[in-house]
Amino acid sequence: MSWPRDDAKLDRVRALMAERGLDALVVRAPDNVLYLTNFWGMKGYDACVFPRDGAPTLICLEASEEDAARTAWTDDIRLFKGYDETDTRPPTARVREVAQAAATQFGTVGLELSLGTQAADRMVGEPTTFTHEWFTAFGDVVDATPLLAEARALKTEQEIERMRLANEIAAAAMEHCKRIIEPGMSEAQIAAEWEGFVHGEGTGWDGRVDLALGFSLVWSGPGIKTFTATSARPVVEGEPTLFEIWVCADGYWCDHTKNLVVGDLTSAYCELESGLMSVYEDAVAFARPGASLAELDRRIRAGIDAMGFPGQPSHPICHGVGARAHEPPHAHQAGGGEIRQSMVLAIEPGCYIEGGGGLRVEDNFLITGGGAEKLSPFPDGIVQA
């Protein structure tokens, strides 16, 4: 699907560029290319030169010309060869040269100098990483990563609409698994059912999604830990099977942890669920405009400590979601920042039993003037299959 240009988003980026005295951004992370141009590349070789004034330049593989023409929010699309019979260098060298030429007219340029992670391209299997030559190709540059993080933290109406689609697909895939999960199935088999539904049914979802991809970690009973790989361990009757799941729908993501149980939940897990859901519901109620991100972290961890799990969880308990599954802001008791209207936050308390087992709950919440709106239609807690 080709989305209309999101001027609210692009105007916010340009306003931040003006505040910081930046004439142009040069980005290569697939999520930032998508954010600024609406083009989601195949192999992560693509780039964008985004000026404070004027039209952006999208630089992409020749093989993606049709996709770029259909989806990109700019008419300035410059192509480079994936294979050049006269040039033995990798495609990253050629895209760098095109980006240099497009950026040469600008004074102060921002690069993703401190970018730690990036979202997947559409091919996913071989993430494309930055080379030394990329970072030294544009002269005296400044770090644009903080600017992009600030812009991306607040979602526009279009971005929220796109994230709702990802949430719908993830929930429908959970409903599918709820119908078919059985004791003795392996974690990998039920994970494959979830991922297969996302890709098979989510692609084309509601006539509005070109490509949906699912990513999962699935653990059952004593296999629940942070973090291990999904394995051939069986689904355990009476104990939760935990789905740590992401959906990417045309470059916009959701990040959930959902739980199913086959048969009657054990009394020990009933007690654990009750305690953790109280912590979770308190955190969701706290997540309002103006609330402290540091206090949210402290609040959740204090609640889990009171349940008898001191020092847990070992993973962050809140982060932003958008054009990446994990993006700023991040809640940390030693940090700063506050929750703002139009953020979308993943809230994910968890507690884990020594030797294996435990529970995590997680959903994505749009911060509105009235509080946190849950985006997934699938229930939280442990759901009876």
Side-chain angles (χ1 to χ4, degrees):
M1 176 178 173
S2 181
W3 291 85
R5 190 177 66 203
D6 192 348
D7 286 324
K9 179 169 70 173
L10 303 183
D11 289 347
R12 181 161 64 234
V13 174
R14 290 191 166 104
L16 291 170
M17 292 171 69
E19 286 179 11
R20 290 160 171 78
L22 288 177
D23 299 311
L25 306 177
V26 181
V27 302
R28 251 203 61 196
D31 43 314
N32 282 329
V33 174
L34 173 90
Y35 187 77
L36 296 174
T37 72
N38 199 47
F39 175 73
W40 187 22
M42 278 297 298
K43 289 183 66 67
Y45 294 151
D46 316 282
C48 170
V49 178
F50 186 85
R52 189 171 71 203
D53 300 302
T57 299
L58 172 64
I59 304 156
C60 71
L61 279 167
E62 280 186 343
S64 297
E65 181 177 10
E66 183 179 336
D67 281 347
R70 180 173 58 86
T71 63
W73 291 333
T74 180
D75 293 328
D76 186 359
I77 300 172
R78 305 185 191 184
L79 306 175
F80 64 94
K81 292 183 176 182
Y83 171 82
D84 188 328
E85 61 276 8
T86 65
D87 184 355
T88 61
R89 298 176 303 163
T92 49
R94 289 187 285 280
V95 71
R96 184 182 72 246
E97 289 181 347
V98 180
Q100 280 180 283
T104 190
Q105 62 181 297
F106 300 108
T108 306
V109 171
L111 291 185
E112 302 143 308
L113 297 179
S114 60
L115 185 71
T117 60
Q118 64 185 46
D121 52 68
R122 283 190 285 170
M123 191 171 177
V124 178
E126 283 186 317
T128 302
T129 58
F130 299 83
T131 63
H132 173 77
E133 290 78 12
W134 176 265
F135 292 108
T136 58
F138 300 93
D140 187 16
V141 298
V142 299
D143 185 13
T145 301
L147 181 156
L148 289 162
E150 182 177 344
R152 287 173 50 168
L154 303 181
K155 304 303 186 285
T156 64
E157 290 184 8
Q158 184 187 113
E159 289 183 286
I160 293 163
E161 186 179 356
R162 297 173 73 160
M163 295 177 72
R164 289 188 192 278
L165 291 171
N167 275 266
E168 289 173 12
I169 294 166
M174 284 304 305
E175 292 288 353
H176 168 70
C177 289
K178 177 182 168 184
R179 291 191 295 270
I180 65 168
I181 190 170
E182 294 180 356
M185 291 179 75
S186 72
E187 294 170 349
Q189 286 171 329
I190 194 63
E193 288 285 346
W194 186 87
E195 291 186 10
F197 185 98
V198 170
H199 190 37
E201 301 298 326
T203 298
W205 185 264
D206 194 32
R208 306 176 72 198
V209 175
D210 281 345
L211 176 64
L213 296 172
F215 305 84
S216 72
L217 288 171
V218 175
W219 312 306
S220 190
I224 297 173
K225 299 178 182 178
T226 60
F227 284 97
T228 65
T230 299
S231 76
R233 287 182 296 259
V235 167
V236 178
E237 187 170 0
E239 298 187 8
T241 296
L242 183 153
F243 292 70
E244 161 61 22
I245 47 178
W246 304 348
V247 168
C248 183
D250 291 339
Y252 273 84
W253 296 70
C254 67
D255 177 10
H256 301 158
T257 306
K258 301 299 179 182
N259 299 272
L260 299 176
V261 64
V262 182
D264 295 329
L265 189 65
T266 65
S267 59
Y269 266 110
C270 286
E271 183 179 350
L272 183 61
E273 178 189 24
S274 176
L276 190 61
M277 286 301 294
S278 293
V279 172
Y280 180 64
E281 289 163 1
D282 176 78
V284 172
F286 180 80
R288 307 175 70 86
S292 162
L293 284 163
E295 180 58 29
L296 177 63
D297 188 39
R298 283 192 292 268
R299 194 180 190 100
I300 288 176
R301 293 182 187 279
I304 291 172
D305 189 332
M307 290 173 59
F309 295 89
Q312 292 203 33
S314 60
H315 56 75
I317 54 80
C318 177
H319 59 84
V321 187
R324 197 162 72 235
H326 294 78
E327 63 180 34
H330 302 279
H332 194 290
Q333 60 188 304
E338 66 179 34
I339 296 170
R340 298 174 62 190
Q341 187 168 337
S342 299
M343 287 180 172
V344 175
L345 301 177
I347 299 176
E348 51 175 318
C351 44
Y352 308 94
I353 301 165
E354 187 175 353
L359 188 62
R360 178 162 77 245
V361 290
E362 178 185 15
D363 212 309
N364 301 159
F365 294 89
L366 169 64
I367 305 303
T368 72
E373 177 194 342
K374 177 176 148 70
L375 293 183
S376 172
F378 196 81
D380 295 314
I382 303 174
V383 176
Q384 184 81 40

